[in-house]
Amino acid sequence: MSRMLRRYLEAQADQVEAVLVAHRTPGRITGGTIGPRLIRFCLDPAPQTRLSAVRSLAEDLAVALKVPSLRIDRTHEGIILEFPNPEPRPVTLVSLWPEVAPLPPNTALLGLTDDGAPLLARLSSPEVAHILVAGTTGSGKTALLRTMAVSLALANRPEDLRLFCLDPKGRAFRGLTGAPHLARPPVVAVPEAIEALQSLLRLMELRDQKGESHPRIVVFIDEVADLVLQGDGRAAPGRNQQPTSIETLLTRLAQRGREAGIHLVAATQRPSAAVLSGVLRANFPLRLVGKVVSAEDARVAAGRAQTDAHLLSGRGDFLAVGGSAAPIRFQVAYIGEQEAQQQLAA
Ligand SMILES: Nc1ncnc2c1ncn2[C@@H]1O[C@H](COP(=O)(O)OP(=O)(O)O)[C@@H](O)[C@H]1O
Ligand SMILES: [Mg+2]
């Protein structure tokens, strides 16, 4: 730790204690951790100090500490105060790789948790199965999809794992160009997306009958809400009995895809019920939530209250929310497009 950082931390701890005393909610900073992106202070509250009272001071504390955002959480360690590290260290896929390789099959690398542990997501597990990535523009959704896709492609043979990409903007998956795992080039146009999802649904039904799940298929979808909106009422005419709405197709795949080895990883800036139905969202057990604009957006994106995802700092600062466990905050292991292409070609 640099001398400057040490002095900064001491001063910040004093500030926190001063603000708490001023608001009659005293407590002491007893320690903490310095993560690559975040400083975490552990707060030992005085007996009369209530957690809700400390929570309500998040804004005042951010002002006093002169930090862009401050998030308050409760863990088994007590009350935690998190704010950005003034000397952040980059978290990259390439630097993290030696620590995690060999990754188990069907397992994506997400990033590094606050505690400095790599965070992985095993798609075949029922707690993961399908992943919804939500966050405002610039929160790092597309970069997170790329990290997951590249880590899967690096760790699984194309015979064992296929990647399918849907991308209404047509730019998200350039890093995967040339990967032998790509079942086809990324799908941009809506009619083609409908047709691709229909064929996956047929495959799912076939695999269901045979009890097969190999090779695994991971369907990456960027800006899924845009795709759903654009696809509304744009049915591919004259096909079979299959659904023609993207929303219905995705819901069917999410409901029964896992046993057939088909997984959805979808990103959206708008997780709202108006665009993605509750039924569809409920079938994504794992939510990866980046910075959102408001507490209400945080609730919709995470599927639960009080995650404070609106207080995240953006650019790869995410929460993993799933099951009944407490959300895990992590920094996405970044890989650029060109670097991704190089890694996949190597
Ligand atoms: N994990 C990350 N680490 C560092 N910078 C990031 C990370 N993720 C995103 N960024 C930066 O933020 C910008 C926006 O990221 P992007 O993934 O396009 O966001 P979104 O898809 O949510 O709009 C990127 O161009 C990159 O510069
Ligand atoms: Mg994006």
Side-chain angles (χ1 to χ4, degrees):
M1 187 192 331
S2 71
R3 276 237 312 278
M4 236 171 76
L5 184 58
R6 188 191 312 266
R7 254 189 266 131
Y8 172 82
L9 293 179
E10 276 169 17
Q12 296 293 54
D14 290 344
Q15 277 292 348
V16 171
E17 292 177 358
V19 170
L20 293 178
V21 165
H23 287 86
R24 300 211 170 86
T25 55
R28 293 225 156 269
I29 302 298
T30 55
T33 54
I34 304 167
R37 292 309 190 92
L38 291 177
I39 306 286
R40 303 175 92 200
F41 280 169
C42 297
L43 176 72
D44 185 18
Q48 77 271 24
T49 296
R50 283 167 40 240
L51 172 62
S52 59
V54 178
R55 267 193 197 279
S56 70
L57 292 175
E59 287 281 300
D60 296 285
L61 285 165
V63 171
L65 270 60
K66 300 192 176 62
V67 293
S69 64
L70 184 138
R71 186 174 164 270
I72 295 168
D73 204 359
R74 191 185 66 85
T75 71
H76 56 279
E77 302 160 80
I79 300 178
I80 301 288
L81 275 58
E82 297 173 333
F83 53 94
N85 184 340
E87 298 176 1
R89 299 186 300 278
V91 176
T92 66
L93 187 150
V94 171
S95 64
L96 215 51
W97 198 250
E99 243 181 273
V100 296
L103 277 184
N106 320 313
T107 302
L109 172 65
L110 306 180
L112 202 61
T113 69
D114 291 338
D115 307 329
L119 187 63
L120 309 175
R122 184 163 162 260
L123 287 167
S124 44
S125 125
E127 287 80 40
V128 180
H130 310 290
I131 304 176
L132 188 63
V133 178
T136 187
T137 304
S139 57
K141 301 179 298 295
T142 300
L144 175 52
L145 293 188
R146 182 163 63 238
T147 291
M148 287 191 266
V150 170
S151 61
L152 286 167
L154 288 176
N156 296 271
R157 295 179 311 169
E159 304 91 277
D160 297 327
L161 187 136
R162 314 291 289 163
L163 299 175
F164 243 90
C165 299
L166 307 186
D167 172 21
K169 286 194 186 144
R171 292 193 303 264
F173 300 106
R174 283 187 294 205
L176 296 177
T177 310
H181 304 71
L182 272 187
R184 59 200 279 179
V187 172
V188 179
V190 168
E192 209 188 323
I194 293 175
E195 176 257 312
L197 292 172
Q198 286 176 334
S199 76
L200 284 168
L201 199 60
R202 278 196 296 276
L203 179 68
M204 179 184 89
E205 282 157 2
L206 209 67
R207 284 184 169 188
D208 255 359
Q209 288 166 12
K210 297 191 192 161
E212 281 176 5
S213 63
H214 190 266
R216 295 262 164 199
I217 295 173
V218 190
V219 187
F220 281 92
I221 312 167
D222 202 15
E223 299 298 352
V224 66
D226 288 1
L227 197 64
V228 167
L229 285 177
Q230 287 175 28
D232 243 13
R234 298 255 311 263
R239 305 274 311 180
N240 37 43
Q241 298 302 305
Q242 286 206 307
T244 51
S245 122
I246 290 193
E247 162 114 44
T248 310
L249 287 161
L250 290 175
T251 306
R252 295 265 181 94
L253 285 168
Q255 281 168 333
R256 288 186 11 237
R258 186 182 67 86
E259 288 87 348
I262 299 174
H263 306 277
L264 306 179
V265 182
T268 179
Q269 359 174 348
R270 289 177 295 185
S272 73
V275 191
L276 300 181
S277 77
V279 182
L280 178 56
R281 280 178 295 143
N283 280 289
F284 284 82
L286 179 61
R287 309 279 181 94
L288 303 178
V289 185
K291 183 179 174 54
V292 295
V293 174
S294 66
E296 172 59 16
D297 282 4
R299 194 188 58 72
V300 175
R304 64 164 84 164
Q306 298 221 316
T307 59
D308 284 351
H310 57 297
L311 301 180
L312 296 172
S313 54
R315 294 166 73 86
D317 187 8
F318 271 76
L319 292 172
V321 187
S324 54
I328 299 173
R329 189 167 178 178
F330 69 99
Q331 175 67 31
V332 172
Y334 186 79
I335 184 160
E337 276 173 7
Q338 290 192 354
E339 210 181 2
Q341 288 183 14
Q342 285 163 10
Q343 289 292 323
L344 291 170

